[in-house]
Amino acid sequence: MKRLLVAAALLLAVSPVTLPATTAQAATALTQLYVAPNGSDGGPGTAALPFKTLQRARDAVRAVTADTDVVVYVKPGDYYLDAPIEFTAQDSGRAGHRVTYRVWGGPPGSARFIGGQRVTGWTQYKGNIWQAKVGRRFDTLYEDGVRAIKARTPNLEPGDLVTAHAHYWVAAPGTESYTVLPYKAGDFDPTGWDLRDAELRIWPRDNWFEEHQPIASVDPAAHTITLKNQTRYSMGLTTSPSRFYVQGMLSALDQPGEFHYDSTAGVLYYWPRHGLGDVVVPRTKTILSLNGVHDVTFDGLGFEDTDFTDFYRHGYPVENGSGENHQYGVYDRQIEMAPNRTGMIFMTDTANVTITRSHLRNSGYSAIYALFANHDDRIESNLIEHAGYAGVFFEGHYPGEGDVLTHNVLAGNLIHDVGELVGHGAGYILMQSSNNEISNSEIYNSPRFGVYLAGYRGIPNQDLYTRDNTVRNLNVHDVMQDSRDGAAVYTFGTSTSSTGPFQVNNFDQIAINYAYSHPEANNSQPATSLDPAAVYLDEGTYGTQVSNVKAENIQRSPVFKTNKSAGVVTNSSWQSGFDESKIDYPNIGLRADYPYGALTIDAGSSTDQQFLHGTRATATGTTAPDATYRHGTFSYRLPVPNGTYAVDLSFLDPLSTAAGQRVFSVTAEGQTVISGLDVYKVAGHNPVNRRVTVTVTDGQLDLAFTPTTGEALVSAIAVSGGVTPPPGRYEAEYATISQGIFENTHTGFSGTGYVNGDNVAGSYLEWNVNAASAGTATVKVRYSNGTTTNRPSAISVNGTTVFASRDYNSTTTWDTWATDTFTVPVNAGANTIRATATTANGNPNIDYIDVDVTPSGGTPVDYQAEDATISQGGVFTNHLNYTGTGFVDYTNIAGSYVEFTVNAASAGSTPLVIRYANGTTVDRPMDISVNGTVVASNVSFPPTANWDTWVTSTKSVPLNAGSNTIRLTATTANGGPNLDKITVG
């Protein structure tokens, strides 16, 4: 996908983890080991000679004999796997100490463990379809980080309900059966189908659970499909006909993004989306297997691209279907079948395990699956996206066999786009699990639930364990997209006694927005009573407590539903007397310390999740033929912590043929930030980019696109966390680092951290710097040096040394920062600036460089008054014909001034043009000073026709090469004139 903004990832980490001390600072007392993609498992696992694999580091942890904390630092990069990394009791912390596996030298999620291998050896099969020998069965596929579609018929029809899998066929009425599905004669002709790898994806009978069922045979004469296994619910009913599609046949591979795997020949066939990208075939369903582990933390790691199965069914069709002879064999109809009890991270018999600040993407099953006994674990501050099943799924023991999945915290997670392979997915699922906390999370884009708590019907309360759970401070939206008879928050079978004592689960402070099902889901359950609800207390959930819930844009009316249950509901939006002031909006959803805080959106693409309305489209026949966009009258609601953000908007109009056909405005947080934009008038069929600054106080950034003529559109959105950095700032953490690491252990840095170079001559930082034109760049290097020794650095530009050595002397402490300023020549366009350590002490810690380019050849440069330093004056817009974003109105007092910082390519006398307005009848003279020295005193600024009339006054002033200050100071009690800008050169 061609991106119209320069953002490369859906979510960019902005709060990196703390990293190890190096020889530049004080060493810690921890046992430390290191892993890097270019390391060697034959080495010692030091920072200089790291291990290559996490498995080797795990084994080295086992060999640590002292009772001490152990930290394994994992360097960013890709770690491809063919099998799970297994951790057992011997890999646990000892004697109250912990073992921590933490990202090293990069932001959270940048050390990526990939559950598969890259596909190579491609040859063209025919047309747009490519083939490669892979030789091992798999059931999902990934290209450039996006899940591919198993070739299917009818084809997937992308829409605004992005987790819906329509189109579907609807089964014909027939004889009730668990293995034979009747289909309608006119829907498809199965003649010639190769069924060796064919499957049904089917919602049998009702919209409760979706299945993957291998096909045994098709009878075209009888119009039936026979399955190899039984379905959970019967098919063929007239009242609730099943909906389904067929996948896993080469003949169905007919559109970009689809694949087929021929398990007999071991050959993968794939139609790339936009040219053959980086394709990963999964080799394992699990990346981390934690069995019997305790006191271990996984901090800031990435996990991606795991496998699924060709046969998935929720539970067993009959009591004791597992053959395990449990006390309550009926629970076999509720628990996951044994082969499907897994996840990208699998946990069983764990205690005090923490998974935090990690990025889990593209799981085959659930991203995190905890089975049976797990207690006092924390799943916190993670980004979980594009899960095959659930984001986090905790599944306890069978009823009556022990309350052992308990006292866990699932908090501060962003979970979106779940259920991509299992249509009844959810953000969080708790089954047979007690005393847990689910809090401060955002969940969106789910085909079924946001949060699902369950036991089972008909079982006595004392043998059910889903109780005393707290679910609070959640933001749940855009759910129930592919199913019916459910809700954003759903409970079932947790407290079956209607007379008590009740088993209570508490839901409090929850915002729910948009719960709508795809129209094709209605085909099997059209009754409006089955429309998606906000909160649904289903059968056997007596005593459930619900409070302070705000629900809006819910398909079902009323939005609250119960069935053979009764709960206690207070202060929720469907009740009379609802007091919205009691909704704690600032603390609903993600917390301010969430580590993945900035995001980018390709509007209209498959990754476009946070829209509220509008239509997707793809531009064709333009300068960006594969660009997508969203159009209509629409809005976005983006989850961000409170703060000030830079919002970059990109627009491309592929359809207009003349100006005036599409004119629209954009509001941010209810304030107009772009008015009357006509993209075609500005740029034809080329992109138009605009940046606005927005302050968010309610945890949600709301953008609305409203047309005045035609339709509004947007191609891409990028939201950068925190205050917009000054123009020309290049943070060290985004430079090329040679022999150094990213850190944020010291205070006072800008951005997300700084770079600590290794103590070796030749270590360097290199920035890519763009200049609008050739000229002289004033460079300011912000650094700290907590030693007593100079750490000089050579400065080169575009490969040529400009300064053989610049001194970076002691700043006394590592928390104290200083600035070194110098000028260098730059070319128009791309440049590189490199700072290379010249001694064995290495470079100082470097925070950023600021680069300000003065064009060569005397090209005049404008400096807006509103961007200058103002003393006793203000920025106003109440008069006409100013340039920029406003003008400065001096306070009526002698000594008020405006001071500009300007650059000169060379020393000498330079023209200074001052644009001003004076709507009075008297002169308003000013002194002009350069670099603190008055060079022209009492310069006259006589009256103009009115305050809307602007004129210029030109003087020559002496400037130094590089940076200068120019100050314009009022010399009378009338103050200065209104000042629009100065032009230098």
Side-chain angles (χ1 to χ4, degrees):
M1 176 70 61
K2 182 180 294 182
R3 297 185 183 270
L4 302 181
L5 294 180
V6 190
L10 175 64
L11 288 155
L12 174 66
V14 295
S15 195
V17 297
T18 301
L19 296 168
T22 70
T23 53
Q25 286 109 49
T28 71
L30 300 175
T31 297
Q32 296 178 337
L33 298 167
Y34 298 82
V35 178
N38 61 349
S40 170
D41 283 348
T46 62
L49 296 170
F51 295 132
K52 185 177 181 63
T53 67
L54 201 67
Q55 297 92 318
R56 178 66 184 87
R58 173 206 60 195
D59 295 343
V61 171
R62 294 175 181 173
V64 175
T65 57
D67 290 335
T68 181
D69 289 339
V70 180
V71 180
V72 176
Y73 292 104
V74 186
K75 197 164 187 178
D78 294 339
Y79 300 81
Y80 291 91
L81 302 170
D82 286 322
I85 305 173
E86 297 184 351
F87 292 81
T88 62
Q90 62 183 323
D91 303 309
S92 303
R94 296 194 297 266
H97 294 279
R98 295 192 73 80
V99 178
T100 299
Y101 295 84
R102 174 173 292 156
V103 68
W104 161 41
S110 58
R112 306 190 311 155
F113 292 87
I114 299 170
Q117 298 293 334
R118 298 177 66 186
V119 178
T120 59
W122 291 101
T123 59
Q124 195 164 12
Y125 170 60
K126 64 178 181 180
N128 295 310
I129 300 174
W130 292 75
Q131 62 181 356
K133 187 82 171 180
V134 294
R136 180 172 164 182
R137 184 178 179 87
F138 61 94
D139 285 281
T140 188
L141 186 74
Y142 307 96
E143 181 194 15
D144 293 334
V146 178
R147 192 189 308 275
I149 303 163
K150 187 174 283 192
R152 52 171 285 178
T153 181
N155 282 331
L156 178 68
E157 180 69 25
D160 287 351
L161 301 175
V162 297
T163 58
H165 299 145
H167 292 304
Y168 293 97
W169 286 308
V170 177
T175 303
E176 184 175 1
S177 172
Y178 289 85
T179 58
V180 179
L181 173 74
Y183 66 87
K184 297 175 183 176
D187 280 348
F188 55 85
D189 179 5
T191 303
W193 279 7
D194 182 351
L195 301 178
R196 290 176 299 166
D197 299 299
E199 310 162 17
L200 279 189
R201 279 191 69 168
I202 182 171
W203 294 82
R205 197 180 76 183
D206 297 301
N207 285 274
W208 294 334
F209 301 102
E210 190 196 35
E211 303 183 10
H212 291 236
Q213 288 281 358
I215 296 173
S217 63
V218 178
D219 186 338
H223 304 304
T224 58
I225 299 174
T226 300
L227 308 178
K228 293 181 180 180
N229 304 287
Q230 287 186 313
T231 53
R232 173 70 166 77
Y233 294 100
S234 60
M235 303 173 289
L237 295 179
T238 302
T239 54
S240 297
S242 304
R243 55 191 171 107
F244 67 96
Y245 59 85
V246 179
Q247 64 180 16
M249 301 181 301
L250 182 58
S251 60
L253 205 171
D254 59 0
Q255 66 176 4
E258 286 191 335
F259 77 95
H260 172 68
Y261 176 66
D262 184 332
S263 61
T264 302
V267 174
L268 163 65
Y269 299 89
Y270 182 56
W271 185 334
R273 289 181 172 87
H274 297 284
L276 197 55
D278 186 9
V279 178
V280 172
V281 57
R283 295 302 194 194
T284 179
K285 298 170 183 175
T286 300
I287 292 178
L288 293 185
S289 176
L290 312 179
N291 189 341
V293 177
H294 60 85
D295 298 294
V296 173
T297 294
F298 297 92
D299 184 356
L301 304 182
F303 305 95
E304 299 185 16
D305 301 352
T306 51
D307 203 7
F308 190 56
T309 180
D310 64 334
F311 171 42
Y312 175 84
R313 179 184 62 209
H314 175 73
Y316 299 87
V318 296
E319 183 173 336
N320 199 32
S322 68
E324 297 172 356
N325 297 313
H326 292 277
Q327 175 184 354
Y328 293 99
V330 69
Y331 196 71
D332 276 345
R333 291 175 56 82
Q334 179 74 331
I335 196 169
E336 290 295 316
M337 295 192 302
N340 296 328
R341 297 172 190 169
T342 189
M344 179 178 279
I345 297 178
F346 172 77
M347 306 167 64
T348 191
D349 196 23
T350 65
N352 294 303
V353 168
T354 295
I355 300 168
T356 185
R357 296 153 59 98
S358 293
H359 185 182
L360 295 89
R361 181 174 71 163
N362 290 335
S363 63
Y365 288 86
S366 297
I368 298 175
Y369 180 73
L371 178 67
F372 298 158
N374 298 274
H375 67 86
D376 296 287
D377 296 329
R378 298 186 73 89
I379 311 298
E380 191 167 22
S381 299
N382 301 290
L383 167 60
I384 300 173
E385 57 180 341
H386 299 288
Y389 189 178
V392 181
F393 188 169
F394 273 39
E395 185 157 47
H397 262 313
Y398 278 74
E401 298 183 14
D403 182 9
V404 293
L405 183 55
T406 184
H407 291 92
N408 301 290
V409 174
L410 317 177
N413 300 299
L414 174 58
I415 304 175
H416 71 84
D417 289 81
V418 297
E420 291 189 337
L421 297 176
V422 178
H424 52 272
Y428 289 113
I429 300 177
L430 288 185
M431 301 183 71
Q432 290 289 88
S433 184
S434 72
N435 290 283
N436 302 290
E437 174 189 321
I438 297 176
S439 64
N440 291 104
S441 297
E442 178 161 9
I443 303 161
Y444 66 88
N445 281 354
S446 170
R448 193 145 173 78
F449 310 118
V451 179
Y452 173 28
L453 271 60
Y456 201 63
R457 62 162 68 95
I459 296 174
N461 279 3
Q462 64 268 23
D463 291 328
L464 292 170
Y465 307 129
T466 305
R467 60 193 178 209
D468 300 316
N469 295 293
T470 298
V471 181
R472 60 178 175 81
N473 299 94
L474 300 187
N475 181 9
V476 182
H477 59 95
D478 296 281
V479 295
M480 290 296 298
Q481 294 181 345
D482 203 22
S483 60
R484 307 274 290 165
D485 197 23
V489 174
Y490 177 83
T491 63
F492 171 77
T494 58
S495 179
T496 57
S497 172
S498 62
T499 59
F502 301 131
Q503 303 209 114
V504 177
N505 294 291
N506 197 317
F507 298 84
D508 185 46
Q509 294 293 345
I510 301 175
I512 301 171
N513 198 351
Y514 285 89
Y516 281 88
S517 61
H518 194 281
E520 292 192 15
N522 300 358
N523 292 337
S524 53
Q525 288 182 312
T528 57
S529 62
L530 302 177
D531 285 347
V535 178
Y536 187 178
L537 308 186
D538 205 346
E539 180 177 350
T541 54
Y542 294 98
T544 300
Q545 295 186 358
V546 179
S547 57
N548 299 309
V549 177
K550 173 63 182 296
E552 54 186 329
N553 299 304
I554 308 300
Q555 188 173 357
R556 188 181 189 275
S557 180
V559 301
F560 174 69
K561 183 177 181 180
T562 62
N563 174 40
K564 301 178 184 177
S565 64
V568 179
V569 182
T570 57
N571 196 51
S572 293
S573 59
W574 55 87
Q575 295 179 300
S576 60
F578 169 60
D579 184 356
E580 190 167 4
S581 69
K582 293 182 179 179
I583 304 297
D584 187 15
Y585 285 117
N587 291 309
I588 287 178
L590 298 171
R591 298 174 300 212
D593 62 353
Y594 182 68
Y596 296 87
L599 55 87
T600 66
I601 298 168
D602 282 325
S605 74
S606 61
T607 62
D608 183 1
Q609 288 106 16
Q610 286 126 328
F611 60 89
L612 299 184
H613 307 286
T615 305
R616 300 174 184 275
T618 299
T620 58
T622 73
T623 56
D626 59 350
T628 60
Y629 60 97
R630 183 166 294 282
H631 64 101
T633 301
F634 57 93
S635 57
Y636 281 81
R637 178 164 292 169
L638 310 178
V640 294
N642 292 342
T644 301
Y645 294 86
V647 180
D648 290 289
L649 302 168
S650 187
F651 309 93
L652 185 147
D653 185 345
L655 299 178
S656 294
T657 57
Q661 294 178 349
R662 188 194 300 265
V663 182
F664 59 93
S665 298
V666 182
T667 63
E669 293 294 277
Q671 300 296 315
T672 300
V673 292
I674 298 175
S675 178
L677 177 61
D678 185 335
V679 176
Y680 184 86
K681 181 178 180 180
V682 173
H685 289 154
N686 295 302
V688 172
N689 298 312
R690 294 285 187 269
R691 167 172 281 194
V692 298
T693 301
V694 183
T695 299
V696 175
T697 59
D698 60 357
Q700 297 179 137
L701 169 57
D702 288 302
L703 300 171
F705 299 76
T706 305
T708 53
T709 304
E711 293 183 314
L713 60 72
V714 68
S715 302
I717 304 170
V719 181
S720 303
V723 177
T724 307
R729 176 155 298 174
Y730 297 84
E731 297 285 353
E733 56 265 38
Y734 302 121
T736 299
I737 305 170
S738 176
Q739 296 176 288
I741 61 173
F742 173 96
E743 288 187 346
N744 63 358
T745 53
H746 298 297
T747 61
F749 55 81
S750 171
T752 61
Y754 53 87
V755 171
N756 177 0
D758 289 351
N759 296 350
V760 60
S763 57
Y764 67 80
L765 274 176
E766 183 174 279
W767 293 267
N768 293 316
V769 173
N770 287 295
S773 59
T776 299
T778 300
V779 180
K780 297 180 179 181
V781 180
R782 190 168 191 260
Y783 70 94
S784 69
N785 179 357
T787 72
T788 58
T789 305
N790 182 26
R791 293 194 166 194
S793 184
I795 306 299
S796 61
V797 177
N798 299 324
T800 300
T801 299
V802 180
F803 297 97
S805 180
R806 294 197 66 84
D807 292 337
Y808 294 99
N809 291 304
S810 174
T811 57
T812 307
T813 72
W814 292 107
D815 299 316
T816 303
W817 299 86
T819 301
D820 175 39
T821 303
F822 51 84
T823 59
V824 296
V826 293
N827 300 325
N831 298 265
T832 60
I833 298 178
R834 179 182 292 189
T836 305
T838 60
T839 73
N841 293 321
N843 273 327
N845 287 356
I846 297 180
D847 187 14
Y848 61 77
I849 62 172
D850 280 338
V851 181
D852 191 356
V853 178
T854 300
S856 59
T859 302
V861 178
D862 288 344
Y863 296 88
Q864 293 292 334
E866 62 268 26
D867 297 328
T869 299
I870 304 167
S871 176
Q872 295 175 292
V875 177
F876 292 86
T877 59
N878 56 324
H879 297 299
L880 302 177
N881 303 319
Y882 57 83
T883 63
T885 59
F887 58 85
V888 172
D889 183 349
Y890 282 72
T891 301
N892 294 350
I893 186 172
S896 54
Y897 68 81
V898 178
E899 183 175 279
F900 301 83
T901 299
V902 304
N903 286 282
S906 59
S909 181
T910 305
L912 171 66
V913 181
I914 303 168
R915 190 171 191 261
Y916 75 96
N918 181 357
T920 72
T921 59
V922 298
D923 190 14
R924 293 197 168 192
M926 296 192 293
D927 287 345
I928 301 175
S929 59
V930 176
N931 298 323
T933 300
V934 175
V935 296
S937 59
N938 258 358
V939 176
S940 175
F941 291 90
T944 58
N946 52 50
W947 290 110
D948 299 323
T949 300
W950 300 84
V951 299
T952 59
S953 175
T954 302
K955 301 292 178 182
S956 291
V957 295
L959 297 181
N960 300 326
S963 181
N964 299 264
T965 60
I966 297 177
R967 179 181 292 187
L968 307 180
T969 305
T971 59
T972 71
N974 292 321
N978 286 357
L979 186 60
D980 182 27
K981 67 176 180 178
I982 65 172
T983 303
V984 178

